[in-house]
């Protein structure tokens, strides 16, 4: 047997192959450059637990540039924060009994009614029921046959299904798209 064709490489060579592979070079290019079998390179990689950290591509710069993009995002954030705080103030006033739940955004009515029923007593709960069922007849489903108010999750589901088209429009769903949602 002619051993002159054997491709036995030194440990220093393998250490360099490993460093370059872990730095991101492909196995195929290293196998060609150092004249080692690709299968042998993969075996060494597996047996010696070579590790290549995941490289994350940098986020591409927006067309308008980072400064304008960041200012626009800051404006969006501040607007969203102001809107959330305004809703929080309305919810807080209604939950403390300082305001009627009539001003509460529709999607939060179930949560507020449940809280008011638990914390403000049966008289407030009865007034809330009279107001809501007059304003929204579908809301009668909020209460069971014994007159007990459902839990907030159930109330949210009733509200969503009774106002399905309004929700779909608010979410930007075109007619005919994703008809099974919600």
């Amino acid at each position: 047997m002619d051993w002159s064709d054997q491709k036995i490489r030194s440990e220093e060579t393998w250490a360099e192959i490993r460093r370059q592979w872990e730095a991101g070079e492909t196995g195929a290019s290293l196998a060609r450059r150092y004249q080692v079998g690709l299968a042998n390179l993969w075996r060494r990689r597996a047996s010696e637990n070579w590790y290549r950290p995941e490289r994350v591509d940098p986020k591409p710069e927006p067309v308008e540039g980072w400064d304008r993009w960041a200012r626009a995002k800051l404006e969006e954030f501040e607007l969203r924060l102001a809107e959330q705080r305004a809703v929080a103030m309305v919810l807080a006033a209604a939950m403390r009994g300082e305001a009627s739940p009539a001003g509460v955004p529709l999607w939060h009515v179930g949560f507020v009614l449940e809280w008011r029923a638990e914390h403000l007593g049966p008289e407030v709960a009865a007034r809330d029921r009279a107001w809501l069922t007059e304003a929204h007849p579908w809301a009668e489903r909020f209460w069971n046959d014994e007159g007990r108010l459902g839990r907030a999750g159930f109330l949210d589901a009733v509200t969503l299904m009774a106002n399905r088209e309004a929700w779909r429009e608010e979410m930007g769903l075109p007619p005919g798209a994703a008809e099974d949602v919600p």
Side-chain angles (χ1 to χ4, degrees):
M1 177 178 228
D2 184 11
W3 293 94
S4 62
D5 290 355
Q6 289 294 328
K7 297 179 185 172
I8 299 175
R9 301 292 176 245
S10 68
E11 287 305 314
E12 293 81 21
T13 299
W14 280 108
E16 182 60 25
I17 293 170
R18 179 180 183 166
R19 273 192 298 281
Q20 291 178 18
W21 182 86
E22 288 178 340
E25 195 162 340
T26 67
S29 68
L30 291 168
R32 266 193 311 278
R33 182 175 329 130
Y34 290 96
Q35 297 181 345
V36 296
L38 188 56
N40 195 18
L41 188 145
W42 293 137
R43 266 193 299 278
R44 279 240 182 191
R45 181 189 66 128
S47 68
E48 296 175 5
N49 296 316
W50 294 5
Y51 173 75
R52 185 184 303 190
E54 187 176 324
R55 304 266 172 159
V56 178
D57 289 339
K59 187 171 183 171
E61 184 170 347
V63 175
E64 67 269 29
W66 283 116
D67 288 338
R68 288 183 66 192
W69 182 87
R71 279 193 284 284
K73 289 297 178 188
L74 179 60
E75 285 178 26
E76 288 174 22
F77 169 77
E78 289 172 341
L79 178 61
R80 193 171 56 250
L81 191 59
E83 289 171 347
Q84 290 170 348
R85 287 179 177 165
V87 169
M89 296 300 289
V90 169
L91 296 177
M95 291 168 76
R96 287 190 305 262
E98 297 168 2
S100 161
V104 170
L106 183 62
W107 307 119
H108 298 287
V109 165
F111 168 74
V112 170
L113 291 187
E114 180 187 42
W115 196 93
R116 286 168 60 100
E118 289 177 9
H119 295 89
L120 301 181
E123 301 83 28
V124 170
R127 282 196 311 270
D128 289 347
R129 181 177 186 173
W131 159 76
L132 186 61
T133 55
E134 182 179 327
H136 304 287
W138 53 262
E140 190 60 51
R141 291 179 281 169
F142 277 19
W143 289 267
N144 65 17
D145 293 338
E146 292 87 40
R148 193 168 305 130
L149 182 66
R151 303 298 296 172
F154 172 74
L155 306 181
D156 291 343
V158 169
T159 303
L160 185 58
M161 293 316 295
N163 297 278
R164 181 179 186 273
E165 291 308 316
W167 180 85
R168 290 176 60 80
E169 187 175 322
E170 195 173 307
M171 295 300 117
L173 280 169
E179 281 297 326
D180 58 332
V181 180

